[in-house]
Amino acid sequence: MTVESTASSSAESIPGSAERAARPFDVLGKTYEDTYAHLPEQLAAIDWLLARLPQKARVMDIGSGTGRPTADRIASQGHSVTGYDVSQVMVDLARMQVPAARFELADVRTLADAPGRWDAITAFFPLLQMPRADLDVILTRIANWLAPGGMFVFATVPFDAEDEEIQWMGQTVRCTSYPAHTYGQLLRKAGLVVVHEQLSVFHPDFPGMGPEEHLFLYAVKPGGPLVPAHRLAGPYPLPETYRGPHELSEQGWLGMEARFERHDIALVADTLTGNEKVLDVGGGTGAVVREIAARLGSVTTVEPHAAREASLRPLTEDGVRVLAGRAEQLPLADGEFDAALATWVLHYTDDPDAAVTEMARTVDRTHPEAKVVLVQGAPDNELIALWNRTCASLIGEAPDHQGHLLTRAARILAAHGFEDLSFHRARVDVVFPEAGPEAKAQAAAGVLADFWNTGHPQLVQLREALLPALYEHFASGTDRFNDDAVMLLARPRRALPA
Protein backbone atom coordinates (compact mmCIF):
# COMPACT_ATOMS: atom_id res chain seq x y z
CA MET A 1 0.00 0.00 0.00
CA THR A 2 1.30 3.47 -0.91
CA VAL A 3 0.67 6.23 1.60
CA GLU A 4 0.69 9.75 0.16
CA SER A 5 2.33 12.55 2.11
CA THR A 6 -0.34 15.26 2.33
CA ALA A 7 0.39 17.04 5.63
CA SER A 8 1.68 20.58 5.20
CA SER A 9 2.12 22.07 8.66
CA SER A 10 1.89 19.07 10.99
CA ALA A 11 4.92 17.54 12.71
CA GLU A 12 4.76 14.71 10.16
CA SER A 13 5.87 17.12 7.43
CA ILE A 14 8.90 18.43 9.33
CA PRO A 15 12.12 16.93 7.89
CA GLY A 16 13.58 14.47 10.36
CA SER A 17 10.65 14.60 12.78
CA ALA A 18 9.99 11.53 14.94
CA GLU A 19 6.34 11.54 13.93
CA ARG A 20 7.18 11.40 10.24
CA ALA A 21 9.76 8.67 10.87
CA ALA A 22 7.25 6.62 12.87
CA ARG A 23 4.39 6.76 10.39
CA PRO A 24 5.48 4.01 7.92
CA PHE A 25 6.35 1.65 10.77
CA ASP A 26 3.03 2.29 12.52
CA VAL A 27 1.40 1.14 9.28
CA LEU A 28 3.68 -1.84 8.61
CA GLY A 29 3.98 -3.32 12.11
CA LYS A 30 4.72 -7.05 11.99
CA THR A 31 5.07 -6.98 8.18
CA TYR A 32 8.42 -5.23 8.58
CA GLU A 33 9.70 -8.08 10.79
CA ASP A 34 8.44 -10.69 8.35
CA THR A 35 10.39 -9.01 5.56
CA TYR A 36 13.67 -8.19 7.30
CA ALA A 37 14.06 -10.38 10.42
CA HIS A 38 16.06 -13.05 8.57
CA LEU A 39 18.53 -10.68 6.91
CA PRO A 40 21.73 -12.82 6.86
CA GLU A 41 24.19 -9.98 7.45
CA GLN A 42 22.17 -8.74 10.42
CA LEU A 43 22.12 -12.20 11.99
CA ALA A 44 25.88 -12.48 11.42
CA ALA A 45 26.39 -9.08 13.10
CA ILE A 46 24.40 -10.20 16.15
CA ASP A 47 26.47 -13.40 16.32
CA TRP A 48 29.67 -11.34 16.14
CA LEU A 49 28.47 -9.25 19.06
CA LEU A 50 27.29 -12.19 21.19
CA ALA A 51 30.66 -13.91 20.83
CA ARG A 52 32.38 -10.87 22.37
CA LEU A 53 29.92 -9.34 24.83
CA PRO A 54 30.92 -9.39 28.49
CA GLN A 55 28.73 -11.37 30.87
CA LYS A 56 25.40 -9.62 31.60
CA ALA A 57 26.20 -6.78 29.23
CA ARG A 58 24.15 -3.60 28.96
CA VAL A 59 23.00 -3.23 25.36
CA MET A 60 21.11 -0.39 23.67
CA ASP A 61 19.14 -1.23 20.52
CA ILE A 62 18.36 1.92 18.53
CA GLY A 63 15.33 1.49 16.30
CA SER A 64 14.38 -1.73 18.06
CA GLY A 65 11.29 -2.35 15.91
CA THR A 66 9.36 -5.47 16.88
CA GLY A 67 12.24 -6.67 19.08
CA ARG A 68 13.15 -9.42 16.63
CA PRO A 69 15.73 -10.56 15.88
CA THR A 70 18.14 -8.20 17.68
CA ALA A 71 16.78 -7.63 21.18
CA ASP A 72 15.29 -11.12 21.32
CA ARG A 73 18.55 -12.92 20.54
CA ILE A 74 20.72 -10.73 22.77
CA ALA A 75 18.36 -10.82 25.76
CA SER A 76 18.03 -14.60 25.46
CA GLN A 77 21.75 -14.86 26.27
CA GLY A 78 21.29 -13.15 29.64
CA HIS A 79 22.13 -9.58 28.63
CA SER A 80 20.21 -6.46 29.68
CA VAL A 81 18.70 -4.93 26.53
CA THR A 82 16.92 -1.59 26.24
CA GLY A 83 15.31 -0.79 22.91
CA TYR A 84 14.25 2.65 21.70
CA ASP A 85 11.89 3.26 18.81
CA VAL A 86 9.82 6.19 17.50
CA SER A 87 6.85 3.96 16.56
CA GLN A 88 4.36 3.14 19.31
CA VAL A 89 3.12 0.19 17.25
CA MET A 90 6.63 -1.24 17.15
CA VAL A 91 7.20 -0.64 20.85
CA ASP A 92 3.95 -2.42 21.73
CA LEU A 93 4.84 -5.39 19.50
CA ALA A 94 8.34 -5.60 20.99
CA ARG A 95 7.06 -5.54 24.56
CA MET A 96 4.67 -8.39 23.74
CA GLN A 97 7.19 -10.49 21.77
CA VAL A 98 10.34 -9.97 23.85
CA PRO A 99 9.37 -9.63 27.53
CA ALA A 100 12.98 -10.23 28.60
CA ALA A 101 14.00 -6.82 27.23
CA ARG A 102 12.84 -3.28 27.95
CA PHE A 103 11.38 -1.06 25.23
CA GLU A 104 10.70 2.67 25.27
CA LEU A 105 9.03 5.10 22.88
CA ALA A 106 11.79 7.63 22.23
CA ASP A 107 13.63 9.58 19.59
CA VAL A 108 17.30 8.71 20.05
CA ARG A 109 18.17 12.37 19.52
CA THR A 110 16.36 13.31 22.73
CA LEU A 111 18.03 10.74 24.99
CA ALA A 112 20.07 12.15 27.84
CA ASP A 113 23.82 11.72 27.63
CA ALA A 114 25.12 8.75 29.59
CA PRO A 115 28.89 8.57 29.03
CA GLY A 116 30.29 5.04 29.23
CA ARG A 117 26.95 3.45 30.15
CA TRP A 118 26.58 0.83 27.40
CA ASP A 119 28.68 -2.24 26.68
CA ALA A 120 27.24 -2.40 23.17
CA ILE A 121 24.92 -0.41 20.93
CA THR A 122 23.14 -1.76 17.87
CA ALA A 123 21.52 0.32 15.15
CA PHE A 124 20.11 -1.63 12.23
CA PHE A 125 18.76 0.91 9.68
CA PRO A 126 17.17 3.40 12.15
CA LEU A 127 19.01 6.60 11.18
CA LEU A 128 17.82 7.02 7.59
CA GLN A 129 15.08 9.55 8.30
CA MET A 130 17.03 12.27 10.08
CA PRO A 131 19.05 15.15 8.57
CA ARG A 132 22.78 14.70 8.11
CA ALA A 133 23.50 17.21 10.85
CA ASP A 134 21.53 15.07 13.33
CA LEU A 135 23.09 11.86 12.01
CA ASP A 136 26.59 13.22 12.56
CA VAL A 137 25.74 14.20 16.13
CA ILE A 138 24.13 10.84 16.93
CA LEU A 139 27.15 8.85 15.74
CA THR A 140 29.38 11.00 17.94
CA ARG A 141 27.06 10.58 20.92
CA ILE A 142 26.95 6.81 20.41
CA ALA A 143 30.74 6.71 20.72
CA ASN A 144 30.42 8.69 23.96
CA TRP A 145 27.72 6.39 25.34
CA LEU A 146 29.88 3.29 24.89
CA ALA A 147 31.99 2.03 27.77
CA PRO A 148 35.71 1.61 27.03
CA GLY A 149 35.98 -1.58 25.00
CA GLY A 150 32.30 -1.27 24.03
CA MET A 151 31.08 -2.31 20.58
CA PHE A 152 28.86 -0.62 18.02
CA VAL A 153 27.14 -2.58 15.25
CA PHE A 154 25.58 -0.36 12.59
CA ALA A 155 23.71 -0.93 9.33
CA THR A 156 22.31 1.49 6.81
CA VAL A 157 21.49 1.98 3.13
CA PRO A 158 24.31 4.08 1.65
CA PHE A 159 23.57 6.74 -0.96
CA ASP A 160 24.47 10.37 -1.52
CA ALA A 161 21.32 12.43 -0.89
CA GLU A 162 19.45 14.30 1.83
CA ASP A 163 15.68 14.23 2.42
CA GLU A 164 15.03 12.25 -0.75
CA GLU A 165 11.51 10.87 -1.29
CA ILE A 166 11.35 7.14 -2.01
CA GLN A 167 8.71 4.42 -2.19
CA TRP A 168 9.50 1.63 0.29
CA MET A 169 7.24 -1.27 1.29
CA GLY A 170 4.28 0.62 -0.11
CA GLN A 171 5.09 3.71 1.94
CA THR A 172 6.28 7.16 0.91
CA VAL A 173 9.42 7.81 2.94
CA ARG A 174 11.90 10.67 2.91
CA CYS A 175 15.43 9.41 3.50
CA THR A 176 18.91 10.77 4.03
CA SER A 177 22.24 8.98 3.84
CA TYR A 178 25.91 9.27 2.87
CA PRO A 179 28.09 7.36 0.41
CA ALA A 180 29.35 4.13 1.95
CA HIS A 181 32.93 5.31 2.62
CA THR A 182 31.72 8.31 4.65
CA TYR A 183 30.30 6.23 7.51
CA GLY A 184 33.64 4.68 8.44
CA GLN A 185 35.17 8.15 8.42
CA LEU A 186 32.45 9.46 10.75
CA LEU A 187 32.92 6.59 13.21
CA ARG A 188 36.69 7.02 13.27
CA LYS A 189 36.26 10.77 13.76
CA ALA A 190 34.05 9.94 16.76
CA GLY A 191 36.91 7.92 18.28
CA LEU A 192 35.90 4.38 17.36
CA VAL A 193 38.04 1.73 15.67
CA VAL A 194 36.25 0.25 12.65
CA VAL A 195 37.04 -3.46 12.45
CA HIS A 196 34.54 -4.62 9.82
CA GLU A 197 32.95 -2.92 6.83
CA GLN A 198 30.81 -4.81 4.34
CA LEU A 199 28.54 -3.93 1.44
CA SER A 200 25.89 -6.47 0.51
CA VAL A 201 22.74 -6.71 -1.56
CA PHE A 202 19.41 -7.85 -0.12
CA HIS A 203 16.29 -8.80 -2.07
CA PRO A 204 13.26 -8.08 0.17
CA ASP A 205 10.39 -10.52 -0.18
CA PHE A 206 7.78 -7.80 -0.61
CA PRO A 207 5.67 -7.00 -3.67
CA GLY A 208 7.18 -4.37 -5.94
CA MET A 209 10.50 -4.03 -4.09
CA GLY A 210 13.81 -4.41 -5.87
CA PRO A 211 17.29 -5.15 -4.50
CA GLU A 212 18.72 -2.97 -1.71
CA GLU A 213 22.38 -2.21 -1.08
CA HIS A 214 23.23 -2.47 2.61
CA LEU A 215 26.28 -1.33 4.55
CA PHE A 216 27.30 -3.09 7.78
CA LEU A 217 30.00 -1.75 10.09
CA TYR A 218 31.37 -3.08 13.38
CA ALA A 219 33.35 -0.70 15.56
CA VAL A 220 35.06 -0.87 18.96
CA LYS A 221 35.77 1.89 21.47
CA PRO A 222 39.42 1.78 22.60
CA GLY A 223 40.19 0.84 26.20
CA GLY A 224 38.47 -1.54 28.57
CA PRO A 225 39.69 -4.91 29.85
CA LEU A 226 41.58 -7.08 27.38
CA VAL A 227 39.45 -10.05 28.43
CA PRO A 228 35.96 -9.15 29.65
CA ALA A 229 34.09 -11.82 31.60
CA HIS A 230 32.20 -13.81 28.98
CA ARG A 231 29.39 -16.14 30.02
CA LEU A 232 30.97 -19.05 28.11
CA ALA A 233 34.13 -18.69 30.21
CA GLY A 234 32.21 -19.10 33.47
CA PRO A 235 30.91 -20.03 35.90
CA TYR A 236 32.08 -17.09 37.97
CA PRO A 237 33.94 -16.42 40.19
CA LEU A 238 36.92 -18.11 38.59
CA PRO A 239 39.49 -20.06 40.62
CA GLU A 240 42.64 -18.15 41.49
CA THR A 241 45.05 -20.93 40.50
CA TYR A 242 45.31 -23.84 38.08
CA ARG A 243 44.29 -27.10 39.72
CA GLY A 244 46.94 -29.09 37.85
CA PRO A 245 46.70 -31.55 34.98
CA HIS A 246 44.32 -34.45 34.62
CA GLU A 247 45.74 -37.87 33.85
CA LEU A 248 45.09 -39.22 30.37
CA SER A 249 45.42 -42.72 29.00
CA GLU A 250 44.90 -43.94 25.47
CA GLN A 251 42.69 -46.77 26.73
CA GLY A 252 40.39 -44.37 28.54
CA TRP A 253 40.23 -41.94 25.63
CA LEU A 254 39.40 -44.63 23.06
CA GLY A 255 36.55 -45.87 25.23
CA MET A 256 35.07 -42.37 25.27
CA GLU A 257 35.73 -41.64 21.61
CA ALA A 258 33.49 -44.51 20.57
CA ARG A 259 30.61 -42.80 22.40
CA PHE A 260 31.08 -39.26 21.05
CA GLU A 261 28.78 -37.26 18.79
CA ARG A 262 31.09 -34.30 18.15
CA HIS A 263 30.21 -31.04 16.44
CA ASP A 264 33.25 -29.17 17.71
CA ILE A 265 35.53 -30.60 15.01
CA ALA A 266 33.45 -29.14 12.18
CA LEU A 267 33.32 -25.78 13.99
CA VAL A 268 37.12 -25.70 14.29
CA ALA A 269 37.63 -26.77 10.68
CA ASP A 270 35.20 -24.11 9.45
CA THR A 271 37.13 -21.51 11.44
CA LEU A 272 40.33 -22.47 9.61
CA THR A 273 38.89 -21.72 6.18
CA GLY A 274 41.44 -19.43 4.56
CA ASN A 275 44.40 -20.83 6.47
CA GLU A 276 47.20 -22.76 4.76
CA LYS A 277 49.79 -23.65 7.41
CA VAL A 278 48.07 -24.99 10.52
CA LEU A 279 49.58 -26.33 13.73
CA ASP A 280 47.63 -28.75 15.93
CA VAL A 281 48.90 -29.22 19.48
CA GLY A 282 48.11 -32.64 20.97
CA GLY A 283 47.11 -34.81 18.00
CA GLY A 284 45.53 -37.48 20.19
CA THR A 285 43.69 -40.11 18.18
CA GLY A 286 43.83 -37.98 15.03
CA ALA A 287 40.12 -37.11 14.75
CA VAL A 288 40.79 -33.37 14.43
CA VAL A 289 43.88 -33.48 12.21
CA ARG A 290 42.23 -35.90 9.79
CA GLU A 291 39.40 -33.41 9.22
CA ILE A 292 41.77 -30.45 8.84
CA ALA A 293 44.05 -32.32 6.43
CA ALA A 294 41.04 -33.40 4.38
CA ARG A 295 39.96 -29.77 4.00
CA LEU A 296 43.29 -27.95 3.73
CA GLY A 297 45.56 -30.66 2.31
CA SER A 298 48.06 -30.61 5.17
CA VAL A 299 48.49 -29.99 8.89
CA THR A 300 51.32 -30.33 11.43
CA THR A 301 50.63 -31.95 14.79
CA VAL A 302 52.81 -32.15 17.90
CA GLU A 303 52.09 -35.07 20.24
CA PRO A 304 53.87 -35.69 23.57
CA HIS A 305 52.87 -39.32 24.16
CA ALA A 306 54.95 -41.90 22.31
CA ALA A 307 52.13 -44.41 21.78
CA ARG A 308 49.78 -41.81 20.34
CA GLU A 309 52.55 -40.31 18.23
CA ALA A 310 53.17 -43.75 16.73
CA SER A 311 49.46 -44.24 16.06
CA LEU A 312 49.37 -40.92 14.17
CA ARG A 313 52.24 -41.79 11.83
CA PRO A 314 50.06 -43.55 9.21
CA LEU A 315 48.26 -40.23 8.70
CA THR A 316 51.33 -38.81 6.97
CA GLU A 317 49.90 -40.26 3.76
CA ASP A 318 46.92 -37.94 4.22
CA GLY A 319 49.02 -34.80 4.65
CA VAL A 320 49.55 -34.92 8.43
CA ARG A 321 53.08 -34.05 9.55
CA VAL A 322 53.69 -35.65 12.97
CA LEU A 323 56.27 -34.33 15.43
CA ALA A 324 57.17 -35.45 18.94
CA GLY A 325 57.13 -32.69 21.50
CA ARG A 326 55.43 -31.03 24.44
CA ALA A 327 52.90 -28.20 24.27
CA GLU A 328 55.02 -26.21 26.72
CA GLN A 329 58.08 -26.34 24.43
CA LEU A 330 57.07 -26.73 20.80
CA PRO A 331 59.88 -27.87 18.45
CA LEU A 332 58.95 -25.20 15.90
CA ALA A 333 60.19 -21.83 14.66
CA ASP A 334 58.66 -18.45 15.47
CA GLY A 335 55.87 -17.47 13.08
CA GLU A 336 56.04 -20.76 11.19
CA PHE A 337 52.24 -21.09 10.91
CA ASP A 338 49.24 -18.90 10.14
CA ALA A 339 47.04 -20.73 12.68
CA ALA A 340 47.51 -22.87 15.79
CA LEU A 341 44.91 -24.91 17.62
CA ALA A 342 44.52 -27.17 20.62
CA THR A 343 41.29 -29.08 21.23
CA TRP A 344 40.63 -30.43 24.74
CA VAL A 345 44.35 -30.23 25.54
CA LEU A 346 45.06 -27.48 28.11
CA HIS A 347 43.72 -29.42 31.11
CA TYR A 348 46.24 -32.18 30.39
CA THR A 349 49.27 -29.85 30.36
CA ASP A 350 51.58 -29.20 33.31
CA ASP A 351 51.77 -25.50 32.43
CA PRO A 352 48.86 -24.25 30.29
CA ASP A 353 50.21 -20.68 30.34
CA ALA A 354 53.45 -21.83 28.74
CA ALA A 355 51.53 -23.92 26.20
CA VAL A 356 49.43 -20.96 25.08
CA THR A 357 52.49 -18.70 24.93
CA GLU A 358 54.21 -21.24 22.70
CA MET A 359 51.20 -21.45 20.38
CA ALA A 360 51.14 -17.66 20.03
CA ARG A 361 54.87 -17.69 19.27
CA THR A 362 54.47 -20.08 16.34
CA VAL A 363 51.80 -17.97 14.57
CA ASP A 364 52.74 -15.17 12.18
CA ARG A 365 50.54 -12.29 13.42
CA THR A 366 51.02 -10.35 10.20
CA HIS A 367 49.18 -13.00 8.18
CA PRO A 368 45.65 -11.82 7.28
CA GLU A 369 44.16 -15.07 8.62
CA ALA A 370 46.35 -15.34 11.74
CA LYS A 371 44.54 -17.02 14.62
CA VAL A 372 44.83 -19.23 17.68
CA VAL A 373 41.97 -21.64 18.38
CA LEU A 374 41.40 -23.36 21.73
CA VAL A 375 38.60 -25.77 22.66
CA GLN A 376 37.69 -26.67 26.24
CA GLY A 377 34.52 -27.63 28.14
CA ALA A 378 31.46 -25.40 28.41
CA PRO A 379 30.34 -23.98 31.79
CA ASP A 380 27.20 -26.17 31.74
CA ASN A 381 29.03 -29.32 30.66
CA GLU A 382 27.23 -32.17 32.46
CA LEU A 383 30.21 -34.52 32.59
CA ILE A 384 32.52 -31.95 34.15
CA ALA A 385 29.83 -31.18 36.72
CA LEU A 386 29.45 -34.89 37.45
CA TRP A 387 33.20 -35.32 37.95
CA ASN A 388 33.39 -32.28 40.23
CA ARG A 389 30.40 -33.44 42.26
CA THR A 390 31.22 -37.12 42.58
CA CYS A 391 34.86 -37.87 41.89
CA ALA A 392 37.01 -34.87 42.84
CA SER A 393 36.63 -35.16 46.61
CA LEU A 394 36.81 -38.97 46.53
CA ILE A 395 40.30 -38.94 45.02
CA GLY A 396 41.41 -35.74 46.77
CA GLU A 397 41.67 -33.48 43.74
CA ALA A 398 40.52 -29.90 43.22
CA PRO A 399 37.40 -29.32 41.08
CA ASP A 400 37.84 -28.76 37.36
CA HIS A 401 37.09 -25.35 35.81
CA GLN A 402 37.53 -25.20 32.06
CA GLY A 403 36.50 -21.54 31.82
CA HIS A 404 39.41 -20.64 34.06
CA LEU A 405 41.77 -22.18 31.52
CA LEU A 406 40.14 -20.31 28.64
CA THR A 407 40.30 -17.01 30.51
CA ARG A 408 43.98 -17.48 31.35
CA ALA A 409 44.63 -18.35 27.73
CA ALA A 410 42.68 -15.33 26.47
CA ARG A 411 44.73 -12.96 28.66
CA ILE A 412 47.98 -14.40 27.40
CA LEU A 413 46.87 -14.27 23.77
CA ALA A 414 45.67 -10.67 24.12
CA ALA A 415 49.03 -9.72 25.63
CA HIS A 416 50.70 -11.25 22.56
CA GLY A 417 48.64 -9.19 20.13
CA PHE A 418 45.68 -11.53 19.61
CA GLU A 419 43.19 -9.01 20.98
CA ASP A 420 40.08 -9.91 18.97
CA LEU A 421 38.69 -12.59 21.27
CA SER A 422 35.45 -14.44 20.68
CA PHE A 423 33.76 -17.41 22.36
CA HIS A 424 31.62 -19.95 20.52
CA ARG A 425 29.64 -22.95 21.76
CA ALA A 426 29.83 -26.35 20.06
CA ARG A 427 27.56 -29.29 20.78
CA VAL A 428 29.20 -32.52 21.94
CA ASP A 429 27.27 -35.50 23.29
CA VAL A 430 28.44 -38.74 24.87
CA VAL A 431 25.88 -41.41 23.98
CA PHE A 432 24.97 -44.64 25.80
CA PRO A 433 22.50 -46.61 23.63
CA GLU A 434 22.25 -49.58 26.02
CA ALA A 435 18.73 -50.73 26.84
CA GLY A 436 17.32 -49.32 30.07
CA PRO A 437 18.70 -46.93 32.69
CA GLU A 438 20.45 -49.68 34.68
CA ALA A 439 22.45 -50.90 31.68
CA LYS A 440 23.20 -47.34 30.61
CA ALA A 441 24.41 -46.45 34.11
CA GLN A 442 26.66 -49.50 34.35
CA ALA A 443 28.19 -48.80 30.94
CA ALA A 444 28.67 -45.11 31.70
CA ALA A 445 30.27 -45.81 35.10
CA GLY A 446 32.90 -48.01 33.47
CA VAL A 447 33.61 -45.70 30.54
CA LEU A 448 33.77 -42.50 32.59
CA ALA A 449 35.84 -43.88 35.45
CA ASP A 450 38.35 -45.32 32.99
CA PHE A 451 38.44 -42.09 31.02
CA TRP A 452 38.98 -39.89 34.04
CA ASN A 453 41.18 -42.11 36.20
CA THR A 454 42.60 -45.11 34.32
CA GLY A 455 44.81 -47.12 36.66
CA HIS A 456 43.76 -45.24 39.78
CA PRO A 457 43.89 -47.45 42.92
CA GLN A 458 40.32 -46.39 43.79
CA LEU A 459 38.90 -47.11 40.33
CA VAL A 460 36.31 -49.60 41.64
CA GLN A 461 35.13 -47.12 44.28
CA LEU A 462 34.87 -44.41 41.61
CA ARG A 463 32.62 -46.59 39.48
CA GLU A 464 30.41 -47.39 42.44
CA ALA A 465 30.23 -43.72 43.47
CA LEU A 466 29.09 -42.74 39.98
CA LEU A 467 26.27 -45.27 39.69
CA PRO A 468 23.49 -43.49 41.69
CA ALA A 469 23.87 -40.20 39.80
CA LEU A 470 24.13 -42.03 36.48
CA TYR A 471 21.01 -44.10 37.11
CA GLU A 472 19.05 -40.98 38.09
CA HIS A 473 20.25 -39.24 34.94
CA PHE A 474 19.27 -42.05 32.57
CA ALA A 475 15.98 -42.72 34.37
CA SER A 476 14.79 -39.39 32.91
CA GLY A 477 14.67 -41.09 29.51
CA THR A 478 17.83 -39.65 27.96
CA ASP A 479 20.56 -41.74 26.40
CA ARG A 480 23.31 -39.09 26.54
CA PHE A 481 25.30 -36.57 28.48
CA ASN A 482 25.97 -33.02 27.36
CA ASP A 483 29.75 -32.71 26.95
CA ASP A 484 29.52 -29.32 25.23
CA ALA A 485 32.59 -27.38 24.22
CA VAL A 486 33.58 -23.73 24.01
CA MET A 487 35.87 -22.56 21.24
CA LEU A 488 38.02 -19.52 21.98
CA LEU A 489 39.02 -17.82 18.74
CA ALA A 490 41.80 -15.25 19.08
CA ARG A 491 42.89 -13.02 16.21
CA PRO A 492 44.91 -9.82 15.89
CA ARG A 493 42.51 -6.87 15.83
CA ARG A 494 43.00 -5.11 12.53
CA ALA A 495 41.53 -1.62 12.22
CA LEU A 496 40.31 -0.76 8.74
CA PRO A 497 42.25 2.06 7.08
CA ALA A 498 40.85 5.57 7.38
Side-chain angles (χ1 to χ4, degrees):
M1 178 178 69
T2 299
V3 177
E4 296 181 1
S5 180
T6 59
S8 57
S9 59
S10 69
E12 289 186 357
S13 66
I14 300 173
S17 72
E19 292 85 352
R20 193 175 81 172
R23 188 177 57 175
F25 295 97
D26 286 341
V27 173
L28 290 168
K30 189 75 163 53
T31 303
Y32 176 77
E33 177 188 318
D34 295 339
T35 305
Y36 285 91
H38 302 291
L39 184 60
E41 290 80 8
Q42 181 174 351
L43 298 177
I46 297 168
D47 286 342
W48 179 87
L49 198 62
L50 288 172
R52 292 161 177 81
L53 279 177
Q55 187 182 40
K56 298 180 180 178
R58 298 161 299 176
V59 181
M60 175 196 287
D61 183 19
I62 300 172
S64 47
T66 67
R68 294 175 177 167
T70 306
D72 188 24
R73 292 189 62 193
I74 296 174
S76 72
Q77 299 302 309
H79 302 296
S80 175
V81 182
T82 301
Y84 297 102
D85 204 285
V86 295
S87 165
Q88 185 66 60
V89 171
M90 291 298 196
V91 169
D92 291 343
L93 280 168
R95 287 171 175 169
M96 178 181 65
Q97 295 192 141
V98 191
R102 173 188 171 200
F103 299 94
E104 299 293 339
L105 181 69
D107 183 339
V108 69
R109 294 170 295 184
T110 68
L111 294 179
D113 277 326
R117 177 181 177 184
W118 302 97
D119 297 303
I121 298 175
T122 61
F124 293 109
F125 308 102
L127 308 183
L128 284 161
Q129 295 192 72
M130 62 177 64
R132 283 177 172 175
D134 289 351
L135 174 58
D136 294 355
V137 170
I138 286 301
L139 292 178
T140 299
R141 294 183 73 202
I142 284 171
N144 182 51
W145 293 338
L146 286 171
M151 293 163 284
F152 178 44
V153 177
F154 175 63
T156 191
V157 179
F159 57 89
D160 190 5
E162 186 160 17
D163 200 35
E164 180 177 284
E165 184 176 289
I166 65 169
Q167 295 298 311
W168 173 78
M169 294 190 73
Q171 310 297 306
T172 299
V173 182
R174 303 195 72 88
C175 291
T176 294
S177 191
Y178 283 112
H181 68 272
T182 303
Y183 285 98
Q185 295 172 354
L186 290 171
L187 294 182
R188 282 185 283 269
K189 183 179 178 182
L192 301 181
V193 178
V194 179
V195 297
H196 175 83
E197 192 168 347
Q198 176 187 3
L199 282 168
S200 59
V201 176
F202 179 63
H203 298 267
D205 185 14
F206 190 89
M209 289 186 67
E212 294 179 352
E213 185 177 52
H214 292 167
L215 172 67
F216 284 82
L217 296 104
Y218 311 164
V220 179
K221 186 170 182 175
L226 287 176
V227 185
H230 194 281
R231 66 183 186 86
L232 288 180
Y236 293 90
L238 301 178
E240 294 183 2
T241 58
Y242 175 43
R243 50 140 276 144
H246 287 271
E247 295 295 324
L248 177 65
S249 76
E250 184 146 5
Q251 172 191 331
W253 180 260
L254 289 174
M256 276 287 280
E257 189 171 52
R259 304 277 182 164
F260 278 136
E261 285 185 5
R262 296 184 65 174
H263 300 282
D264 57 324
I265 297 176
L267 175 64
V268 168
D270 290 346
T271 300
L272 297 172
T273 300
N275 291 105
E276 297 176 347
K277 298 186 68 177
V278 175
L279 167 66
D280 169 77
V281 177
T285 61
V288 176
V289 293
R290 275 195 298 268
E291 178 68 20
I292 295 171
R295 295 204 192 191
L296 303 183
S298 65
V299 63
T300 296
T301 188
V302 175
E303 173 56 53
H305 299 283
R308 283 196 289 277
E309 181 204 341
S311 69
L312 289 168
R313 292 289 176 187
L315 296 179
T316 56
E317 297 180 2
D318 300 320
V320 181
R321 173 190 176 205
V322 183
L323 300 176
R326 298 172 62 246
E328 296 90 338
Q329 193 172 2
L330 296 171
L332 300 161
D334 294 357
E336 187 174 340
F337 300 89
D338 53 49
L341 68 134
T343 59
W344 302 93
V345 165
L346 292 182
H347 58 301
Y348 295 120
T349 62
D350 293 324
D351 188 344
D353 294 356
V356 174
T357 301
E358 279 289 273
M359 292 176 69
R361 178 185 65 79
T362 66
V363 176
D364 175 10
R365 286 197 294 113
T366 66
H367 191 281
E369 289 294 331
K371 57 180 71 88
V372 176
V373 180
L374 300 170
V375 175
Q376 296 293 147
D380 56 351
N381 183 299
E382 291 178 334
L383 288 183
I384 294 171
L386 177 64
W387 189 89
N388 286 340
R389 188 172 64 247
T390 307
C391 300
S393 60
L394 181 61
I395 61 176
E397 291 189 10
D400 196 6
H401 197 302
Q402 302 274 297
H404 176 224
L405 289 172
L406 287 175
T407 300
R408 291 172 72 114
R411 289 172 180 158
I412 292 167
L413 291 169
H416 284 79
F418 294 87
E419 296 179 326
D420 183 5
L421 303 164
S422 58
F423 295 84
H424 310 263
R425 177 185 287 273
R427 184 72 184 173
V428 180
D429 287 325
V430 181
V431 183
F432 295 90
E434 285 79 5
E438 179 64 36
K440 288 178 175 17
Q442 290 288 344
V447 168
L448 294 175
D450 284 348
F451 176 60
W452 288 328
N453 298 98
T454 300
H456 194 279
Q458 292 177 279
L459 192 61
V460 173
Q461 293 95 316
L462 284 170
R463 290 173 182 165
E464 291 298 320
L466 286 167
L467 280 172
L470 291 171
Y471 182 84
E472 181 180 1
H473 179 80
F474 290 120
S476 68
T478 187
D479 66 347
R480 64 195 57 215
F481 272 93
N482 148 22
D483 193 26
D484 280 6
V486 173
M487 181 182 76
L488 168 62
L489 172 60
R491 306 189 61 168
R493 177 169 286 156
R494 307 190 194 281
L496 294 179

